[in-house]
Amino acid sequence: MKFTDGFWHTRPGVDAQYAAEAYDIEARDDADGGRLVVLAPTRVVTGRGDTLNRALLTVTLSSPLEGVVKVRIEHHRGARTTPGFDLLGAEPGHGVAVAGPSGGTLETGPLRARVSPGDPWDLTFEADGTVLTRSGHKSIGYVTLSPDAPVAADPAGVAGVTTTGRAPSSAYLHNQLCLGVGELVYGLGERFGPLVKNGQSVDIWNADGGTSSEQAYKNVPFYLTNRGYGVLVNHPEHVSFEVGSEAVEQVQFSVPGEALEYLVVYGPTPAQVLERYTALTGRPAKVPAWSYGLWLSTSFTTDYDEATVNRFIDGMAERDLPLSVFHFDTFWMRDFSWTDFEWDPRVFPDPEGMLARLHERGLKVSAWLNPYIAQRGALFDEASAAGYLVRRPDGSVWQWDRWQAGMGLVDFTNPAARDWYQDKVRALLAQGVDTIKTDFGERVPTDVVWHDGSDPGAMHNWYTQLYNEAVFEVLKEVRGEGDAVVFARSATVGGHRLPVHWGGDNSSSFESMAESLRGGLSLTLSGFSFWSHDIGGFEGKPDPAVFKRWVAFGLMSSHSRLHGSQNYRVPWAFDDDSAREADGQDAVSVTRRFTRLKLELMPYLYQAGVEAHERGVPVMRAMALEFPGDPAVEYLDRQYLLGRDLLVAPVFSAEGDVTYYLPAGTWTNLLTGESAGGGWRTERHDFSSLPLWVREDAVLVTGPGAERPDYDYADDPLVTVYPGTADRTVAVTHPETGEVTTVAVVRSDGGATVTASPAVPFRARLAGGETVEASGGTAEVRA
């Protein structure tokens, strides 16, 4: 939200009072740890008269976790404020506060916050003797607006709130943190524009805007920079960011109301920032191995019944296309009835029997849900009478006709409504459903009253967390820890604990394929570890070239789903008479190739998921996350790392032309065995290929010939040792028992010794060399 008119002036109708000095700095210590409490008047106090008729801001610094400084700025402390996000990892006892004539400091691990006394206002964050960022002159502002102020203050006009009737706030607090020369900002949720956020205005307000707009389904008020720190603005309500787009030397963030709270999270590397951030906000659940396999959907508005489902599954089996999950989209329920949890009896007269038959074929089953209750459905009257639906201020049920006719919205702030909805999910799982696609959750009104009295503005973004938590909790209860997974569209801070998320409604084009990747990388730079997208695009029918290129990209993502809107997404629907299976260029062959490749890579990919669960480092990693300090990677948004050791550069053209970058070191092409050094490369690939490179020093454990994703990864795996000089130990985790086998590689001139512990049969080779059988858990491999 922009309040200024150039560098010197505010916009008409805007009154801004800025923290002018640190008038009083006090160090306090209690059971929660050290705190600095700073009084910041909005005028330099030169005499007693300057203390009158002026706003006073209170700035409190504390540390909820080592390496994290929390800053809370308050104007009127008695005003009602919204609670922040769930900081599950917060611990007491962090932070050492000191105050004296030279100012105040708060130290927490390697991070120090320093407040200079007097004027101008100066709050500096530093680590290891280096200044990370600073809140300086005119950076903290208490802003009031006149009714006619030309400022976009209402989220209804800013970021697509789904209902009108909420008056804009008249008071805001903003803070600015300086951007150094060459400093770049990433994150702020799943955003489909440029990966680097410098120069952008970003509104944190969940909206159903598709992937081709500035709106986002997953808004996360957290960003990280290439200077070794991240910032979480601890507000679930509307947060406006101006990333060098108003004050070009600053990141500005503002919230309505009387308080603003943000946390500075130190790294020093981007990956370590995410580790510390997820230690504070919670780590993602471990996802089941079967979820990494290929998902096939009925698609959205297509006609289908059990015969159609069986035709698809039979077609996949006949074409040797491994399938892990079958998804029933919206019309498993009757039209005009979503969500009533009842299978449409006209097309699914025996749902329990059908689901059992699908299980007999080795498939998991996914079903679509949303948090809206249509008026036609039998549940509407039940939920309305019980007070389970969100109500308007006059006591009537909030309803509208967008999406489902006369729909209401489940009030998850009501414990009884939450229990009621969860019982419906339990019944669905009892029928044989294994996982839930939790669609929507963005269309949340603000002209309503919530059961627990929550602020409607704060509930707009926070609602998705309550919705997804309610469903995930039941999945975990029924299926057990490690076997629960949702397929969610909307999210905010904390949503990363509830994987998996997919990118929403994209289009069937190369441009939309590229924007989907940008959104995914932006999301993973915001603390989310697992991400998927609709292969081929959701809207429209992709031409064969788009579909086949997208298949390769989709199967080299953490999770892979074939899904569309008005067209089925079975691969043979994208082959014509000119497609020849013999040369591997048809859609079926391409799908088979990359599905089987992903299954072979499952020991490696599953371990990357375990690492995400344990450390909060994403499976799909932007180049800037993995190679900090390399200026060539800072803007790259058309390639990524899949886990630590695989570099993927999707092809975004029918002809197969692609330009990408290999960082310094020796890289080995996984598909061809070619070796190359770092630098830019321009190539042309057929449909059966894409740039897929293995990093120097990698040790890759794979399962050649795998037929499904959830096999015993330590049962006769292949260990491939790639060029490099460093010894390396990697882990292989059994997807069901959790038993860990370690594979240690000790290099020597011309070869390496590979040892498995505990000793298991395996095969090993140097990349490009001969394969040898291990003896007693050890293998010697030579060039």
Side-chain angles (χ1 to χ4, degrees):
M1 187 178 304
K2 296 181 179 180
F3 301 105
T4 57
D5 178 12
F7 185 70
W8 294 279
H9 307 291
T10 58
R11 296 188 176 193
V14 174
D15 178 67
Q17 301 183 66
Y18 300 106
E21 65 170 330
Y23 178 75
D24 183 68
I25 306 172
E26 180 184 355
R28 300 178 184 175
D29 195 20
D30 54 32
D32 289 332
R35 289 184 294 154
L36 278 183
V37 180
V38 186
L39 296 184
T42 55
R43 172 186 295 163
V44 175
V45 178
T46 60
R48 290 184 175 181
D50 292 327
T51 65
L52 304 175
N53 302 312
R54 198 69 179 174
L56 175 69
L57 302 175
T58 303
V59 182
T60 304
L61 281 68
S62 59
S63 176
L65 193 68
E66 182 181 289
V68 180
V69 170
K70 180 168 72 173
V71 181
R72 183 169 180 83
I73 304 165
E74 296 170 299
H75 177 231
H76 288 161
R77 295 179 59 196
R80 179 182 180 183
T81 59
T82 58
F85 297 107
D86 295 331
L87 304 182
L88 304 180
E91 302 170 345
H94 290 287
V96 176
V98 177
S102 61
T105 61
L106 180 75
E107 293 196 19
T108 171
L111 180 62
R112 172 188 290 183
R114 177 168 47 82
V115 180
S116 299
D119 72 283
W121 171 261
D122 184 12
L123 167 58
T124 300
F125 300 91
E126 55 193 26
D128 301 322
T130 300
V131 173
L132 302 174
T133 189
R134 170 181 280 116
S135 166
H137 178 54
K138 296 179 70 173
S139 63
I140 297 177
Y142 178 68
V143 181
T144 55
L145 308 180
S146 65
D148 58 347
V151 176
D154 185 359
V158 174
V161 65
T162 55
T163 187
T164 59
R166 176 173 179 249
S169 175
S170 61
Y172 294 81
L173 272 167
H174 80 60
N175 188 79
Q176 295 176 344
L177 294 175
C178 70
L179 288 171
V181 176
E183 185 170 2
L184 302 177
V185 173
Y186 305 93
L188 298 176
E190 182 192 47
R191 318 208 78 86
F192 304 101
L195 182 67
V196 174
K197 300 302 183 287
N198 296 54
Q200 297 183 38
S201 297
V202 175
D203 285 284
I204 302 299
W205 192 257
N206 284 359
D208 177 12
T211 66
S212 299
S213 76
E214 64 179 353
Q215 297 178 8
Y217 305 101
K218 307 169 190 66
N219 285 268
V220 180
F222 169 78
Y223 68 86
L224 57 81
T225 89
N226 59 349
R227 291 297 177 89
Y229 69 95
V231 175
L232 169 65
V233 180
N234 194 23
H235 290 265
E237 63 264 39
H238 175 236
V239 183
S240 180
F241 284 88
E242 305 297 332
V243 186
S245 56
E246 180 174 15
V248 298
E249 302 168 2
Q250 314 281 342
V251 175
Q252 175 177 290
F253 39 89
S254 57
V255 297
E258 299 290 321
L260 168 61
E261 184 171 290
Y262 69 94
L263 297 95
V264 175
V265 183
Y266 181 58
T269 68
Q272 289 170 318
V273 172
L274 291 184
E275 285 190 64
R276 210 181 295 268
Y277 168 74
T278 56
L280 181 63
T281 57
R283 295 272 161 76
K286 186 185 296 184
V287 300
W290 55 261
S291 71
Y292 289 85
L294 182 60
W295 297 44
L296 176 62
S297 166
T298 58
S299 291
F300 173 35
T301 58
T302 51
D303 292 327
Y304 60 91
D305 52 17
E306 185 174 359
T308 308
V309 170
N310 287 332
R311 187 168 73 250
F312 290 162
I313 295 171
D314 289 341
M316 297 290 283
E318 291 164 0
R319 293 167 175 84
D320 194 23
L321 298 172
L323 185 62
S324 297
V325 182
F326 192 86
H327 170 69
F328 290 86
D329 214 60
T330 54
F331 283 97
W332 68 268
M333 291 177 282
R334 294 172 300 164
D335 43 8
F336 292 109
S337 299
W338 310 334
T339 293
D340 67 356
F341 294 89
E342 294 183 7
W343 293 82
D344 186 345
R346 298 168 297 183
V347 288
F348 298 114
D350 179 25
E352 290 86 355
M354 176 184 66
L355 299 179
R357 289 185 284 273
L358 292 178
H359 286 154
E360 289 170 1
R361 305 188 69 163
L363 295 171
K364 302 294 184 182
V365 175
S366 168
W368 177 96
L369 289 179
N370 68 193
Y372 310 123
I373 307 297
Q375 183 171 271
R376 177 192 180 187
L379 296 186
F380 182 87
D381 290 342
E382 177 184 340
S384 177
Y388 296 161
L389 301 179
V390 176
R391 295 188 177 269
R392 298 185 184 275
D394 65 4
S396 62
V397 173
W398 177 87
Q399 290 180 264
W400 70 351
D401 295 329
R402 290 180 62 182
W403 187 238
Q404 286 292 281
M407 74 179 197
L409 179 68
V410 177
D411 187 345
F412 286 107
T413 73
N414 182 345
R418 174 187 170 94
D419 292 345
W420 172 81
Y421 193 88
Q422 288 183 317
D423 283 342
K424 305 302 180 184
V425 176
R426 286 188 187 94
L428 193 59
L429 299 185
Q431 288 182 303
V433 170
D434 300 290
T435 184
I436 301 295
K437 171 182 169 179
T438 50
D439 205 353
F440 285 83
E442 311 92 357
R443 295 182 176 182
V444 179
T446 55
D447 56 345
V448 294
V449 176
W450 294 89
H451 174 83
D452 71 347
S454 289
D455 176 76
M459 275 302 301
H460 176 84
N461 287 341
W462 184 242
Y463 182 86
T464 177
Q465 184 70 7
L466 300 182
Y467 163 43
N468 280 296
E469 278 182 339
V471 175
F472 193 84
E473 189 176 277
V474 174
L475 287 164
K476 189 166 61 173
E477 166 199 310
V478 173
R479 300 196 58 84
E481 195 87 34
D483 202 39
V485 63
V486 293
F487 211 80
R489 188 173 78 172
S490 58
T492 187
V493 174
H496 61 277
R497 301 193 299 265
L498 314 169
V500 171
H501 293 81
W502 100 97
D505 295 348
N506 45 21
S507 301
S508 299
S509 67
F510 286 117
E511 292 79 10
S512 195
M513 179 179 165
E515 75 199 16
S516 294
L517 176 55
R518 292 195 299 269
L521 295 180
S522 185
L523 186 68
T524 60
L525 287 166
S526 307
F528 286 66
S529 293
F530 303 93
W531 177 78
S532 186
H533 44 100
D534 290 343
I535 294 175
F538 176 74
E539 298 286 356
K541 182 176 181 178
D543 66 38
V546 169
F547 180 81
K548 289 183 283 190
R549 298 296 186 195
W550 210 320
V551 161
F553 164 42
L555 284 157
M556 291 296 101
S557 302
S558 81
H559 286 73
S560 310
R561 183 179 72 157
L562 295 167
H563 179 67
S565 178
Q566 299 176 341
N567 311 104
Y568 300 124
R569 288 297 190 259
V570 289
W572 53 92
F574 302 94
D575 284 330
D576 54 30
D577 293 338
S578 63
R580 295 175 296 162
E581 188 167 355
D583 62 11
Q585 299 299 293
D586 61 302
V588 168
S589 296
V590 171
T591 305
R592 181 188 304 119
R593 174 173 174 76
F594 287 101
T595 303
R596 291 198 169 277
L597 175 60
K598 187 173 190 182
L599 297 181
E600 290 186 5
L601 289 170
M602 274 305 301
Y604 167 79
L605 292 176
Y606 187 76
Q607 198 61 40
V610 171
E611 183 181 11
H613 166 67
E614 294 174 346
R615 295 178 51 214
V617 179
V619 176
M620 295 176 69
R621 306 177 185 181
M623 300 294 290
L625 181 69
E626 197 66 30
F627 296 95
D630 184 345
V633 308
E634 293 180 328
Y635 286 84
L636 295 185
D637 58 12
R638 296 196 301 273
Q639 60 183 84
Y640 56 93
L641 288 187
L642 186 59
R644 177 194 180 276
D645 291 323
L646 288 182
L647 185 151
V648 184
V651 180
F652 297 101
S653 70
E655 298 78 14
D657 296 326
V658 56
T659 298
Y660 61 98
Y661 174 77
L662 298 179
T666 300
W667 294 82
T668 305
N669 190 299
L670 184 69
L671 302 180
T672 67
E674 174 191 356
S675 181
W680 288 95
R681 297 173 65 89
T682 298
E683 300 168 348
R684 173 165 287 193
H685 288 255
D686 65 21
F687 290 112
S688 67
S689 177
L690 82 168
L692 183 58
W693 292 84
V694 186
R695 193 173 179 174
E696 184 174 272
D697 292 327
V699 175
L700 210 58
V701 181
T702 57
E707 297 287 335
R708 52 185 303 122
D710 48 353
Y711 54 95
D712 182 353
Y713 304 141
D715 183 13
D716 195 28
L718 174 63
V719 179
T720 305
V721 180
Y722 286 87
T725 58
D727 297 338
R728 182 97 181 270
T729 298
V730 299
V732 179
T733 301
H734 193 290
E736 292 183 0
T737 67
E739 181 180 354
V740 177
T741 302
T742 60
V743 177
V745 172
V746 178
R747 298 181 186 269
S748 58
D749 291 341
T753 301
V754 184
T755 305
S757 179
V760 295
F762 67 90
R763 293 162 293 145
R765 65 178 182 181
L766 291 179
E770 294 184 1
T771 300
V772 300
E773 297 283 345
S775 175
T778 300
E780 300 288 338
V781 291
R782 292 288 178 265

